[in-house]
Amino acid sequence: MPAPDMPPVVRRFTREDRAAGRRISAEAFGMPAGGPAPAADEQWPLPGEHHWGSFDGAVLAGQMIAKDFHSWWAGSLVPTIGIAGVTVAAEYRGRGLVEDLFRASLADARDRGGVVSTLFPSAPGIYRSFGYELIGGFDTVRVPTAVAARVPSGEGTRIRRAGPDDVPALRGLYETWAATQSGPLSRRGTTFTGSDQHHLDRFTGVSVVENPSGAVLGYAAWRRGPQEDGALEVAELVALDRHAYRTLWHSLGSHASVMPSLHLKTSGADPARLLLPTTDWDLIGRQDYMLRVDDVPGAFAARRLRGYADLTFAVAGDRLGVLDGTYRLAVEGEESRCEQVPSSTPADAGTFTPQGLALAWSGVQNCATLRMLGHLDGGGPQTDAVLDRLLTGPQVQIRNHF
């Protein structure tokens, strides 16, 4: 008698698996399936990338990439895993392969210190079942360049084109801005290792605003597409004060005679909008962003919550079997500690779903809304008020796609 079918085996990719990975990526995302084989001396995987595959014998049935990042949450750097390239071949869909890939990749990520994971979903419902929830988006907005041109240049500023020697200052300015926000990736570490010249070569130009003493106050990275497209692509617009924002808007508006509109990559309530003289800010594209808390004690400790609190909460319903349990959170000053405690849940402790925990931890929804959605049960108003006070922070801002 023939042997019964064996379930696919999840393991790390090897260099020899890459061609098969390109083929099933082409099925899912329309990416080129061919291309030259990697050179023997080509670095692979790239620093900070971990490729996983589900193999039915020699056949690649599914794949996933986990990328090592850190993200900023109100002044705290949180170890973050970016999930990308989730693909299952058509013949293997509906057989639970994505769950096995998540189990393997996230377990490995926890061993490396990852405490939350994020992704850009093609189908949010699939990822909700694994404890992910929508917390924000990476948007594209359209602004008429004539409107930008009406913004007067800022006082005490000058603008010029960036050179390679400016890139360290631009990286530092981005980190200064990102540290005050919730959600943007830090651009430090192994996944951001390109040269200073490579950073500039990705754009038609990077315009830098500085004060009379030469301190960099802001920058805009932009690409000029073909004339027939009629839009100036602004990949990033970041500044540390209103005068720099005004000067950057005015400079971008100088393209009005040949580019009727600009397309700006942005997220959340971008303060750059508040410098425009009209309401022209049309959303023309959005890439949703989801988050899962994957290590409850580690995630709360990494956020370094501020205040004073001692409370207990629980999590139930994690499909991956990692989060369920009861936890004690203690916050004193600028230090927060979280630990799992015996499973008997006190009467005043609320129980989160994994999705509810993601929404609460990221500060996106308050406890009243989570109760309304069925993501928080039990507990009471006093604990809810403490959690809301501890976790509320800046709006989520996303500035990188992966």
Side-chain angles (χ1 to χ4, degrees), residues 29 72 81 91 114 122 164 184 240 253 293 302 313 363:
F29 307 118
W72 284 104
I81 303 302
E91 296 80 7
S122 55
L240 300 183
V293 174
F313 65 91

Side-chain angles (χ1 to χ4, degrees), residues 239-327:
L240 300 183
D241 71 19
R242 65 189 184 279
H243 301 295
Y245 271 125
R246 286 174 175 157
T247 299
L248 289 167
W249 274 129
H250 188 78
S251 177
L252 293 170
S254 69
H255 294 269
S257 63
V258 290
M259 298 274 108
S261 64
L262 62 85
H263 294 173
L264 171 66
K265 290 291 188 181
T266 183
S267 181
D270 191 334
R273 183 181 185 182
L274 304 180
L275 281 303
L276 294 174
T278 70
T279 59
D280 294 282
W281 185 272
D282 299 323
L283 181 66
I284 60 173
R286 183 175 180 85
Q287 295 169 306
D288 289 320
Y289 194 64
M290 301 184 87
L291 178 141
R292 166 186 163 91
V293 174
D294 198 54
D295 175 346
V296 178
F300 278 94
R303 267 207 63 174
R304 291 172 51 212
L305 301 172
R306 295 160 179 83
Y308 294 89
D310 192 338
L311 57 89
T312 304
F313 65 91
V315 184
D318 181 21
R319 179 175 174 179
L320 299 181
V322 173
L323 306 181
D324 292 357
T326 303
Y327 301 88

Side-chain angles (χ1 to χ4, degrees), residues 145-306:
T145 46
V147 170
R150 290 170 54 188
V151 179
S153 290
E155 298 174 4
T157 63
R158 58 191 178 198
I159 190 166
R160 59 176 175 81
R161 187 66 57 90
D165 291 345
D166 294 306
V167 173
L170 301 184
R171 296 183 192 275
L173 185 146
Y174 170 85
E175 292 290 331
T176 299
W177 169 83
T180 66
Q181 308 298 322
S182 289
L185 298 184
S186 168
R187 294 177 183 170
R188 308 172 184 173
T190 57
T191 48
F192 294 94
T193 56
S195 69
D196 293 345
Q197 185 62 56
H198 172 73
H199 179 79
L200 296 179
D201 288 345
R202 295 179 298 149
F203 310 105
T204 303
V206 177
S207 301
V208 175
V209 174
E210 58 188 13
N211 65 16
S213 65
V216 175
L217 303 177
Y219 66 89
W222 49 274
R223 301 182 184 94
R224 191 198 189 287
Q227 178 71 32
E228 59 270 17
D229 289 347
L232 182 72
E233 304 291 338
V234 183
E236 195 155 72
L237 176 63
V238 176
L240 300 183
D241 71 19
R242 65 189 184 279
H243 301 295
Y245 271 125
R246 286 174 175 157
T247 299
L248 289 167
W249 274 129
H250 188 78
S251 177
L252 293 170
S254 69
H255 294 269
S257 63
V258 290
M259 298 274 108
S261 64
L262 62 85
H263 294 173
L264 171 66
K265 290 291 188 181
T266 183
S267 181
D270 191 334
R273 183 181 185 182
L274 304 180
L275 281 303
L276 294 174
T278 70
T279 59
D280 294 282
W281 185 272
D282 299 323
L283 181 66
I284 60 173
R286 183 175 180 85
Q287 295 169 306
D288 289 320
Y289 194 64
M290 301 184 87
L291 178 141
R292 166 186 163 91
V293 174
D294 198 54
D295 175 346
V296 178
F300 278 94
R303 267 207 63 174
R304 291 172 51 212
L305 301 172
R306 295 160 179 83

Side-chain angles (χ1 to χ4, degrees), residues 122-145:
S122 55
I126 294 173
Y127 299 104
R128 283 194 177 103
S129 70
F130 296 107
Y132 291 86
E133 194 45 270
L134 294 167
I135 64 163
F138 191 32
D139 300 335
T140 304
V141 299
R142 180 172 53 222
V143 176
T145 46

Side-chain angles (χ1 to χ4, degrees), residues 38-85:
D41 60 349
E42 179 183 337
Q43 184 177 22
W44 189 88
L46 294 175
E49 288 190 359
H50 308 266
H51 294 244
W52 293 85
S54 178
F55 292 86
D56 185 5
V59 176
L60 177 63
Q63 63 182 346
M64 177 180 293
I65 305 171
K67 301 186 179 186
D68 295 336
F69 297 118
H70 282 78
S71 53
W72 284 104
W73 292 89
S76 298
L77 272 176
V78 176
T80 302
I81 303 302
I83 299 296

